[in-house]
Amino acid sequence: IVKMKSFFSGLMLSAFFVFSANAQSPSVSSQSRAAAQFASVAPTLICVWQTVPTNWVIESYTYSPACGGYYKNSIYVRPPISPDIVCIQSTIPAGYVVTQRVNYRDCNFIGDGSLVIKIPSSFENVCAFSPIPYGFVITATYTSWICGSGVPNNMYVIQKF
């Protein structure tokens, strides 16, 4: 059942991105690539109280009788891809940046419960709470809804030096 849920979660995410691509979303190409790659990365199920391996991400929350007791008591973890959608509770892997907050239903929060992460190009717009990889500098700040509303200067422009 757990493997089927993972398969259907990936299938539904892929279907979401295909639908989004047909709707001409501004970031369609990167999201479509992430959806295509998503299915090729096999996640591992662990209990929520276990430590996520270093530089791995949380893909989704679920229920597993093996983990004892409560709703969404386990998580699927895996190595990241670029770009990727991960749960907001994930640590951001070394060398990755956060470019957007999104609502992905399998990440245990209502609204803005997920992050879009990627390996940055030489020039990138990132959320202000994103780690800044070694070799990059902040060249500007601005405000955008894409990283959460109501917070001034919540975006950075970073550039490789």
Side-chain angles (χ1 to χ4, degrees):
I1 293 174
V2 171
K3 288 183 180 179
M4 286 180 66
K5 180 170 178 153
S6 176
F7 170 77
F8 285 115
S9 294
L11 186 62
M12 290 181 72
L13 181 63
S14 296
F16 168 77
F17 285 125
V18 169
F19 178 77
S20 295
N22 292 336
Q24 299 300 316
S25 170
S27 57
V28 166
S29 60
S30 63
Q31 288 181 343
S32 295
R33 284 192 303 274
Q37 293 173 350
F38 185 85
S40 68
V41 178
T44 300
L45 182 68
I46 64 172
C47 298
V48 293
W49 44 266
Q50 290 180 288
T51 302
V52 175
T54 302
N55 287 325
W56 280 37
V57 295
I58 300 172
E59 174 185 285
S60 63
Y61 283 75
T62 190
Y63 173 77
S64 172
C67 291
Y70 59 95
Y71 178 69
K72 294 195 173 184
N73 63 352
S74 54
I75 53 179
Y76 283 104
V77 297
R78 60 179 168 73
I81 55 177
S82 183
D84 204 351
I85 296 175
V86 302
C87 294
I88 202 164
Q89 301 89 341
S90 286
T91 55
I92 307 305
Y96 280 74
V97 294
V98 178
T99 60
Q100 186 177 351
R101 288 182 72 161
V102 294
N103 185 10
Y104 177 51
R105 66 174 176 73
D106 286 342
C107 282
N108 209 28
F109 281 94
I110 298 173
D112 289 343
S114 303
L115 304 171
V116 176
I117 64 170
K118 67 179 284 196
I119 296 171
S121 58
S122 59
F123 176 84
E124 200 71 57
N125 294 300
V126 302
C127 297
F129 57 83
S130 174
I132 307 300
Y134 177 79
F136 283 82
V137 294
I138 299 169
T139 58
T141 64
Y142 64 99
T143 304
S144 172
W145 62 270
I146 205 163
C147 286
S149 59
V151 180
N153 295 317
N154 62 350
M155 296 288 294
Y156 293 152
V157 177
I158 62 170
Q159 186 171 0
K160 192 169 187 83
F161 68 88

